[in-house]
Amino acid sequence: MAETAAGVGRFKTNYAVERKIEPFYKGGKAQLDQTGQHLFCVCGTRVNILEVASGAVLRSLEQEDQEDITAFDLSPDNEVLVTASRALLLAQWAWQEGSVTRLWKAIHTAPVATMAFDPTSTLLATGGCDGAVRVWDIVQHYGTHHFRGSPGVVHLVAFHPDPTRLLLFSSATDAAIRVWSLQDRSCLAVLTAHYSAVTSLAFSADGHTMLSSGRDKICIIWDLQSCQATRTVPVFESVEAAVLLPEEPVSQLGVKSPGLYFLTAGDQGTLRVWEAASGQCVYTQAQPPGPGRELTHCTLAHTAGVVLTATADHNLLLYEARSLRLQKQFAGYSEEVLDVRFLGPEDSHVVVASNSPCLKVFELQTSACQILHGHTDIVLALDVFRKGWLFASCAKDQSVRIWRMNKAGQVICVAQGSGHTHSVGTVCCSRLKESFLVTGSQDCTVKLWPLPKALLSKNTAPDNGPILLQAQTTQRCHDKDINSVAIAPNDKLLATGSQDRTAKLWALPQCQLLGVFSGHRRGLWCVQFSPMDQVLATASADGTIKLWALQDFSCLKTFEGHDASVLKVAFVSRGTQLLSSGSDGLVKLWTIKNNECVRTLDAHEDKVWGLHCSRLDDRTLTGASDSRVILWKDVTEAEQAEEQARQEEQVVRQQELDNLLHEKRYLRALGLAISLDRPHTVLTVIQAIRRDPEACEKLEATMLRLRRDQKEALLRFCVTWNTNSRHCHEAQAVLGVLLRREAPEELLAYEGVRAALEALLPYTERHFQRLSRTLQAATFLDFLWHNMKLPVPAAAPTPWETHKGALP
C-alpha cells in the first residue's frame, strides 16, 4: 500500500473532550427565574441550571442521598431553591454558589410530589404522595402547618398572591381544589367542578379571581370571595397548564379589550389565547409539524416577558410573551444517538439523528437547537455534501430527504425521495460536487438519486415545498440488509457493506459489480474509502477492521482490539491513520503502517453509532446510545509542545541541580530534586549528602528546614527506595530523622502516612532480619576465630640443658 509523504511524521496521538452535548432535562417541571436569564429543570438525581444566553449548564445540583429529585421550586425573589428527593429529604440551596444551606426531613410518609413558595419567599408548601400538605417556614426553619384530608397524591399546591389573605390551595387525585386557611388551620372550601386531574392554578392581579385547568378539557374561572365557579370554558384539549396574561391589550394575540385572557398549553401542541368572559379562542399558534409536540408544561416569567413551554419529547421552547414568537429552543434529551455530522463550511453546526423522526441541529457556539420535522419514522443515517450547506437523511419511513442550511443557520427540507420497500439505513453523498447521492436499504438494494438542477440553482426552498427526487439507478447488491454505502473520492466507485458478511465494489453510475471483499466472520457495519490510496476499510461485527486493495480485492491488514462489534471507521491524518468506534463504547485511534492502536478514548457508556471528522481533520464528533454527543479535539501538537517544553525545563533543572551539588548547597538541591518529582534524583542528592564527612548532621539539618509538603514527598519516595536493599540505607536514614525529630501527631497528619507505613513495615522488617542474620554470622566468625587460635608452645631447651639432662 502506498503511503503518502505528507502523512509521514504527522500522526495523531491523542484526542481530548472539547464539548459534550448530553441530556439535561428528562421531563417534569421546568422554571425560569424572574429575569429570564436562568432556566431550572430536573434530570434524574439533579436539578440543572442553564444559562439561557449560552445554553450552557452552569450547575448541576444533586442532594447527598443521590436519589431522584421529585419536586423543586425557586422562590419569587430568586434567592432560594428547594429540592425534594425520593429519600424524603428536603434541601435548601444557595443555588448561585451551588451549596446546600439546610437539609431536613420532609416528614411526609411518601415522596413529595409538588411544592410552591408564597409571595414573600418565606413560606414553602409541600404536597406529598401520602395525601398530606405541609407548610414550612424557610427563614425560621420549622414546620408551621400540616393539613390532612386529601385523598391520594397531592400533585398541586399554590399560595394566594396576596400574603395578607394567608390562603393555600391544593389539588389531589379526586380532582377537587381545596382551600386551606393558614390562620384557622382548617379547610375553608372544597371546589368541585373538574372531572379529571387539575393541572394548574393561576390568579388575577387583584386576587379575586382564580383560573384552573384540567385534563377534562375545560378551564374554570372561580370567584374566590364566594368560592363559586363563574364560567367554564371548554378548550377541547387536555390542558397541562393555563397562564393568565397581563391585563393590557396585545393586538398580536387578539387581546383587544380589557378583561381576563389566558393562555393554554396541552396535547394539541399549540399555545392558544382565550377570552375568559366570552369563552372564545382569540389566537391560535401555527400548528407545528411532527409527533412528540404535545406540551407538558408552560410558565410565564412576568418580569422577563418570556413564556417557557416543554414538549413531550423533552424540548424546551422560549417565546416572547407579547407576540409568542419563538426566541430559542433547547433539546433537553436525545434518546439513542444513531448518527452525527458536522454542518457548515466552518463546521459551525452539528446535526444529530436520535431515536426519533426529528433531526436536531445544534449551533456549537450557543447550544441553540433547531428541530427539523419531515420524516415520519426514526431517522437512521446522515451524510453531508462537500461544501457543508446541503445534507441528506434517510429513515425507517423508506424515504430520503435533502436539507439546506442558510448562512443564518436556518435549515429547511428542499427535496425528498421514496422508492425503497424497507427501511433506508444508510446514505452517502457524492464527493467531488453536489451531483447525486446513494442510499442502501433493508430491501437489499441501493439507489442512485441525481440532484435536480432546480435544487442546485436556487439558494432557497421551492415555494411549493420540497422537490421530488427520482432514482436513476436501482441495483440489488446483497442477500441481506445493506448497512453501509460509501462513494469514492472521484465519484466513480461505490462500496457497499452488508449483513451477509461481504463488501462489494461497484462502478458508478450504472452500478456494475467489480469485485467482492470476503473475509469477515460476521456482518459489516461500515465501509469507507481512503482519501489518498486505492484502499477500502471495512468494520465488522466480528470486532475487526480490515483494509482491502481495490486492484485485486485482497486483504492488506487486519486490526483487532475492540471487544465487540466495530460500528464505524474513518480515515484521518491524510489516510495514514484510522478512527474506529464500537459497541463497547470505545473510540480507537490506529496507525496503519504498524497496525498499532495509538490511543483508546473512553467517554461513552454504550454503543458509539456516530463518528465524523471535521474538514480540517482537527476535531471529531461521536454520538452514542448513551444519549451523548461528544466533540473531540486533536491535542497531539499541544501535547508534543508541552512535552518538549517539559523536557527542556528538566534539562535546565538537572543542570541547576548538578551545580548546587557541586557547590554543596544541599538544602536548595534537595528542594529542587523534590520539585522535579523524581525519586531517583532525590536519592542521588541524599547519597551526595551522606557522602559528606559530616553526613548525619548535614542530612538532619537539611531535612528539618524542608517544608511539610516536601517532607511528605520524601516519605513517599522512601517507600520506593526501601523496596531495594541497595537503597534501603538512605530510606532508613531519612526515616530515622523524621521519627526522631518530628512529633508523632505531626507525622500522623502527613498526607498518605498510613499507606506509607503499611508499605514501609514489611520491607523494614525484612532488612532488619537480614542485618540480624549478618550480625549472627559475624559473631559466629569471631567465635570461630577465637577458638581456632593455637596455644603458645613451650620454649625449646637450650643445648646446655639438653646436655645436662643427658648426664648420668
Side-chain angles (χ1 to χ4, degrees), residues 299-314:
T299 182
L300 170 65
H302 289 278
T303 311
V306 174
V307 173
L308 167 69
T309 65
T311 67
D313 52 3
H314 314 309

Side-chain angles (χ1 to χ4, degrees), residues 574-618:
R574 300 194 179 189
T576 60
Q577 289 182 292
L578 292 171
L579 271 175
S580 64
S581 67
S583 57
D584 51 8
L586 301 177
V587 177
K588 289 181 178 284
L589 174 66
W590 309 83
T591 298
I592 292 173
K593 185 177 181 181
N594 54 14
N595 275 50
E596 181 189 359
C597 177
V598 180
R599 185 74 58 176
T600 298
L601 309 174
D602 185 5
H604 287 290
E605 295 170 3
D606 209 341
K607 303 178 187 71
V608 184
W609 287 109
L611 174 69
H612 191 223
C613 300
S614 64
R615 290 163 199 283
L616 299 176
D617 203 24
D618 59 341

Side-chain angles (χ1 to χ4, degrees), residues 511-582:
C511 281
Q512 299 152 327
L513 181 63
L514 299 177
V516 180
F517 305 96
S518 299
H520 281 292
R521 300 187 305 277
R522 295 184 67 186
L524 273 66
W525 280 114
C526 186
V527 292
Q528 202 68 254
F529 284 99
S530 167
M532 309 300 283
D533 304 309
Q534 300 284 305
V535 170
L536 181 76
T538 57
S540 166
D542 62 13
T544 66
I545 304 152
K546 290 181 182 287
L547 291 185
W548 310 82
L550 298 184
Q551 290 91 343
D552 57 5
F553 308 101
S554 62
C555 180
L556 300 171
K557 284 180 180 287
T558 301
F559 300 88
E560 297 179 351
H562 283 280
D563 293 331
S565 302
V566 186
L567 303 175
K568 277 282 179 3
V569 64
F571 283 90
V572 291
S573 308
R574 300 194 179 189
T576 60
Q577 289 182 292
L578 292 171
L579 271 175
S580 64
S581 67

Side-chain angles (χ1 to χ4, degrees), residues 275-344:
E275 185 181 24
S278 65
Q280 296 296 312
C281 178
V282 295
Y283 174 84
T284 302
Q285 207 179 29
Q287 179 72 36
R293 300 287 291 182
E294 300 89 352
L295 298 176
T296 59
H297 190 72
C298 180
T299 182
L300 170 65
H302 289 278
T303 311
V306 174
V307 173
L308 167 69
T309 65
T311 67
D313 52 3
H314 314 309
N315 299 317
L316 296 169
L317 291 82
L318 296 172
Y319 295 95
E320 200 271 313
R322 293 185 62 84
S323 63
L324 291 186
R325 181 179 57 83
L326 183 64
Q327 286 183 332
K328 204 163 191 179
Q329 58 184 341
F330 300 106
Y333 180 67
S334 298
E335 291 184 62
E336 192 171 357
V337 177
L338 300 179
D339 210 354
V340 287
R341 288 290 187 276
F342 282 107
L343 274 188

